Amino acid sequence: MLARIHPADRAVWLILAIAVLVCLARVPGGAAEVWSSLLVHAALLAGFTAYVAFAATSQSRWIAQAARPAVTVGVVFTLYTTLGHLGLAAMPPADAALSWVDAHLLGLHPVALERLQTPLLVEAFAVPYALFIPYIYLSAALGTLGRPPVERDAFLTGWMLTYATSYLGYVFLPAQGPIAFHAADYVSALHGGAFHDLVVRGVASTGGFFGAFPSLHVGSSLYLCVFDLRTNRLRGLTYFPIVVSIYGATLVLRYHYVIDLVAGTVIALLCVRTGPALVRRWMRARMAHGLTPLPGEDAHAVLGLPSAGDDRT
Amino acid sequence: MLYSAFRLLATIALEVFFRRIEVEGLDRVPAQGAVLLLPNHTNSLVDPLVLVTAIDRRLTVTAKHVLRQNPLLRALFWALGVVVVHRRQDVDKGADPRQNVEALARLGAILDAGGAVCLFPEGVSHSGPALRPFHSGAARLAVAFAQRHGPSKALSVVPVGLHYTDKDTFRSSVWLRCGEPVDASRWLADHPGADARALTQDIYDRVRAITLNYDSRRESAVLGMAAELVVTAGAMPAPLGRDEPEVAAWFRLLARLQEGYRQLSHEAPDAVQALVQRIGRYRAALRRAGILPAEVFLSMHPGRVALFVLREFELLVVGAPLAGWGTLHHAAPYLATRAAARALSTDEDHWATNTVYPGVVIFLVWYLAVLTLAWWLMPPAWAALYSALLPYTGYYALLYRERAGSALRRTRTFLRFLTKPSLQRDLASEGRAIIDSIGRLAARLDSPHEVTP
């Protein structure tokens, strides 16, 4: 049975299971929020398990081409908010430790950047920070539609693994970032323009400040960029400057410590390598169990569209 | 130091000039010890450049004496330790073939010291359809080495094949293929009484075996047209940015087609001639319509079209500022290089050389001037950013331009097919019929007993 389960599904299932276990461990004497978090994550785990069971036995190409990307990405994006809140409710905050690492090991106290945070610079960096959202949605679409099956599966597995690994930080090292932790230390609040307002509203709409460590803005966008550089060089080169700007933006906008960026970078680079390796291993395991390397007869087709090689005009 | 700097510059220049550089059999070039590389010679001074950048050890190359008349090349030859040879056909230009004794002695000394030497045994760069007869200098060098050292010291003679998809086209591709090396002293031991002439013939055969050699330019053209069709497999082309087949695979396909073409030209000449004429007519029709062979099988499926629009529009819009910046800052040296190549080139053999070498100089001077200005006029942080962006955006603009051109071309073809579906239907049907015919002929090759008329 295990050989039938896609590695991307396994990664997402595992982080959901960890979330439920953390909730269960913290429920006795825990905050009310842990209870609601348990309900949410248990429901997500149950639903996702049902999907995994169905996907593992289905031979439909829609699973690989549409259902898996939609379900895994949907669940993982939901976890972005829920796990951030769970971490803060269930674990002691790690902001002091992260800030100490920045100041003492990396030599950069977060508040020291304040002199650079002019309205012009804040607004300039708010643009790439805001571009992160359309970038990941476009990448999700282009990364799963029209890609050769093995490459698509490697892309999805590595990306989901980037999120799943980063979420361990959200849960076990919960942090709100310098903007909340050092709020009293800054002389003045950030001021920018329309783009900065957009970013502020966006952050507020997802529940405020949480999940600072590691930086998924950096991790996710770097993963997408490096994967593109390997498979679609022009797209990778197109977004590379934006990804580099996102590094700066996370610091200038006070959302992250430098150590968050370092961790995000390491996770992304590891996952770019691990994703394809896991898919290859999964395909070998399937073959060892007498299955085809990829499920479904028409795993090469794309969303009901004719694929390269079978289109007869 | 000078060699390493030159190698770095050459690598950058070739990465810009060629779309793809593929190297095969590099493990056949020993990392240490005496090596004599013997490639075919079809692309003038670009050939040694490809070798110098591909081979991961210091390589001593040879060049004809007349090139030293160019002061820039003379300085380059001096810096890189290029050994100059004097050809008989250049006597009226000041060459002195007697000095080749000294040149061969220098090359022999480099080999004795365990160095790597590259000689072009054809003696001249050319655009002929096949390998030219070899001069015996390389073999004499190898025989002399073997006689000096015997079996105690090995000299690996490595045949090399250089293949260019379109040597007079910017952003074409190159395939460098190293053949099985021959140990000079062992070869002499295995061939008692053999001399340099016999070794020359043996090396010639080895280089010929790893290069494509046509009977005529017509044969080359016919096989090229057939390969362009076969490679489409009559199927929808891959999305842009993912449609780069391996260069080696292209030349292997050409070699397979050539083998079949030659055999069937004897066994079934009428069928082959009819097919050749049909391919010629088809290619002419495609040229008139301005359509590439692969585009004939373009999908008209709305979903595919939507994906194409999303993919290309995204890049076109998001990449425009980078591409614009890169174009703005590189248009002048690019145009100057193109003008220099046009002014200097009298034949297709030298076009790449006249682009790459002046291009390196022009771009170096341009970068030096622009960056000096930037660091003079801008605050350091901005100057640093500008310096980092300059080569990045230049390279980006190059790729963007290619991609935008391909997207535009594909869009144009799509619109033509949309307004005139019969055009695509007819071209696709004829294209597939030709591919099937080639397949049927290939099947006859696979079953020789059925070839009887």
Side-chain angles (χ1 to χ4, degrees):
Chain A
M1 178 64 181
L2 206 61
R4 290 179 179 272
I5 301 175
H6 194 279
D9 293 344
R10 289 188 214 181
V12 177
W13 190 89
L14 212 59
I15 193 66
L16 275 170
I18 289 172
V20 171
L21 286 176
V22 168
C23 290
L24 287 172
R26 290 292 177 175
V27 159
E33 203 172 340
V34 179
W35 262 110
S36 58
S37 191
L38 174 63
L39 289 176
V40 168
H41 290 110
L44 279 172
L45 181 64
F48 195 75
T49 305
Y51 148 77
V52 170
F54 176 71
T57 50
S58 171
Q59 293 293 305
S60 168
R61 62 180 170 158
W62 289 87
I63 294 292
Q65 292 157 10
R68 177 165 299 117
V71 172
T72 52
V73 172
V75 169
V76 150
F77 282 6
T78 306
L79 288 178
Y80 179 79
T81 308
T82 62
L83 288 182
H85 288 302
L86 168 65
L88 289 174
M91 296 286 173
D95 278 289
L98 296 171
S99 182
W100 185 89
V101 169
D102 262 23
H104 292 89
L105 297 185
L106 304 174
L108 186 75
H109 195 282
V111 180
L113 285 174
E114 186 169 11
R115 62 189 173 85
L116 298 174
Q117 291 158 346
T118 60
L120 185 66
L121 203 69
V122 166
E123 183 64 0
F125 275 111
V127 176
Y129 200 85
L131 277 177
F132 171 75
I133 297 297
Y135 176 43
I136 57 169
Y137 277 104
L138 261 175
S139 298
L142 295 173
T144 50
L145 299 177
R147 268 207 164 122
V150 177
E151 196 180 295
R152 174 202 61 214
D153 282 9
F155 165 79
L156 192 65
T157 302
W159 200 29
M160 291 303 99
L161 207 60
T162 303
Y163 274 90
T165 314
S166 301
Y167 286 158
L168 293 177
Y170 279 32
V171 175
F172 295 106
L173 288 169
Q176 293 187 290
I179 195 161
F181 184 68
H182 287 293
D185 303 329
Y186 289 111
V187 174
S188 60
L190 285 180
H191 292 289
F195 274 100
H196 182 240
D197 290 345
L198 185 72
V199 168
V200 169
R201 281 203 303 275
V203 171
S205 70
T206 53
F209 309 122
F210 55 81
F213 180 84
S215 167
L216 261 172
H217 259 78
V218 162
S220 183
S221 57
L222 182 67
Y223 173 84
L224 297 171
C225 185
V226 174
F227 199 94
D228 269 338
L229 282 172
R230 288 177 161 198
T231 56
N232 187 356
R233 188 190 287 191
L234 187 64
R235 189 167 194 271
L237 289 174
T238 304
Y239 283 101
F240 183 71
I242 295 174
V243 172
V244 171
S245 307
I246 286 175
Y247 273 76
T250 58
L251 296 179
V252 169
L253 301 184
R254 301 178 181 173
Y255 291 132
H256 286 285
Y257 305 99
V258 178
I259 189 67
D260 304 341
L261 276 52
V262 174
T265 304
V266 171
I267 290 170
L269 295 180
L270 282 177
C271 291
V272 164
R273 285 183 165 273
T274 314
L278 284 178
V279 169
R280 279 196 301 272
R281 210 172 118 185
W282 175 61
M283 287 163 65
R284 278 199 299 271
R286 283 180 59 87
M287 286 162 78
H289 283 79
L291 301 166
T292 52
L294 289 175
E297 275 177 36
D298 48 4
H300 293 270
V302 177
L303 253 183
L305 312 176
S307 70
D310 68 1
D311 185 39
R312 290 282 188 251
T313 308
Chain B
M1 171 77 177
L2 273 176
Y3 185 85
S4 301
F6 173 77
R7 195 163 176 259
L8 177 69
L9 263 182
T11 304
I12 295 169
L14 292 187
E15 283 291 331
V16 171
F17 186 84
F18 291 114
R19 186 191 296 266
R20 272 180 91 121
I21 302 171
E22 285 179 18
V23 182
E24 184 183 297
L26 211 55
D27 54 330
R28 289 168 169 167
V29 181
Q32 286 179 332
V35 175
L36 186 55
L37 292 158
L38 302 176
N40 58 328
H41 199 12
T42 59
N43 205 350
S44 194
L45 292 182
V46 170
D47 286 340
L49 221 52
V50 172
L51 280 155
V52 161
T53 53
I55 307 292
D56 201 16
R57 57 181 292 184
R58 191 184 170 108
L59 195 62
T60 300
V61 296
T62 54
K64 60 184 177 184
H65 161 266
V66 288
L67 290 172
R68 283 184 59 188
Q69 289 165 1
N70 181 318
L72 280 177
L73 285 178
R74 191 160 61 233
L76 187 69
F77 288 179
W78 172 81
L80 301 178
V82 171
V83 174
V84 170
V85 290
H86 296 253
R87 304 186 307 178
R88 287 190 197 287
Q89 63 260 44
D90 295 332
V91 167
D92 56 337
K93 293 172 188 162
D96 178 9
R98 286 171 302 178
Q99 291 190 37
N100 284 339
V101 177
E102 193 192 326
L104 284 174
R106 267 189 72 192
L107 292 172
I110 291 166
L111 292 175
D112 288 345
V117 165
C118 171
L119 270 172
F120 293 94
E122 288 172 279
V124 64
S125 173
H126 63 92
S127 293
L131 205 59
R132 290 195 176 182
F134 280 8
H135 292 275
S136 61
R140 279 191 282 138
L141 204 59
V143 169
F145 182 95
Q147 285 168 347
R148 274 199 305 280
H149 300 287
S152 63
K153 206 170 186 177
L155 167 63
S156 299
V157 180
V158 184
V160 177
L162 282 164
H163 307 77
Y164 297 90
T165 51
D166 266 310
K167 66 178 181 176
D168 55 350
T169 303
F170 184 50
R171 302 294 290 163
S172 53
S173 299
V174 55
W175 180 36
L176 186 156
R177 192 183 187 194
C178 298
E180 202 62 53
V182 182
D183 178 6
S185 59
R186 190 176 297 166
W187 187 91
L188 282 174
D190 292 345
H191 300 80
D195 58 2
R197 199 181 307 168
L199 181 56
T200 301
Q201 185 58 46
D202 188 78
I203 295 167
Y204 175 85
D205 292 341
R206 286 170 189 271
V207 176
R208 194 176 166 88
I210 57 167
T211 49
L212 264 170
N213 295 280
Y214 301 103
D215 288 340
S216 62
R217 278 176 176 269
R218 183 175 176 274
E219 186 191 58
S220 159
V222 164
L223 294 174
M225 288 191 292
E228 275 181 344
L229 276 174
V230 171
V231 87
T232 66
M236 184 177 67
L240 293 175
R242 305 178 156 274
D243 53 351
E244 303 246 344
E246 283 186 8
V247 190
W250 168 257
F251 284 107
R252 286 208 167 92
L253 172 63
L254 278 173
R256 271 183 54 212
L257 287 171
Q258 184 186 49
E259 195 185 337
Y261 174 76
R262 285 181 179 174
Q263 193 175 332
L264 289 167
S265 291
H266 290 294
E267 292 170 4
D270 293 343
V272 170
Q273 272 318 303
L275 184 57
V276 165
Q277 283 172 6
R278 195 173 174 188
I279 292 172
R281 282 197 299 272
Y282 184 67
R283 284 297 281 129
L286 286 180
R287 273 202 200 98
R288 276 197 303 275
I291 293 168
L292 293 176
E295 289 175 349
V296 169
F297 308 105
L298 209 57
S299 175
M300 305 300 281
H301 191 286
R304 283 258 161 221
V305 175
L307 263 180
F308 171 83
V309 171
L310 176 66
R311 225 174 358 233
E312 302 310 318
F313 188 71
E314 179 211 21
L315 280 184
L316 200 71
V317 172
V318 182
L322 279 178
W325 184 268
T327 305
L328 191 71
H329 286 79
H330 293 84
Y334 175 81
L335 292 173
T337 303
R338 206 166 67 169
R342 277 189 187 153
L344 294 169
S345 302
T346 49
D347 55 46
E348 58 179 322
D349 284 346
H350 295 90
W351 187 84
T353 298
N354 291 332
T355 303
V356 172
Y357 284 81
V360 167
V361 176
I362 291 169
F363 271 85
L364 266 181
V365 170
W366 174 260
Y367 266 54
L368 206 64
V370 168
L371 291 179
T372 305
L373 267 178
W375 283 91
W376 185 36
L377 296 173
M378 293 177 182
W382 284 107
L385 181 67
Y386 180 84
S387 304
L389 277 177
L390 195 61
Y392 185 85
T393 53
Y395 183 61
Y396 185 86
L398 187 69
L399 299 188
Y400 183 91
R401 198 183 129 198
E402 279 177 9
R403 179 68 170 261
S406 303
L408 195 68
R409 186 186 180 98
R410 206 168 264 200
T411 306
R412 206 170 47 216
T413 304
F414 169 79
L415 292 174
R416 291 196 64 182
F417 287 160
L418 192 69
T419 51
K420 200 177 174 191
S422 62
L423 177 66
Q424 184 180 31
R425 206 168 42 241
D426 294 346
L427 287 173
S429 141
E430 176 64 359
R432 287 201 182 98
I434 291 173
I435 294 167
D436 289 346
S437 299
I438 294 172
R440 277 199 299 277
L441 284 176
R444 286 171 71 169
L445 268 182
D446 295 337
S447 326
H449 57 280
E450 292 173 11
V451 172
T452 47

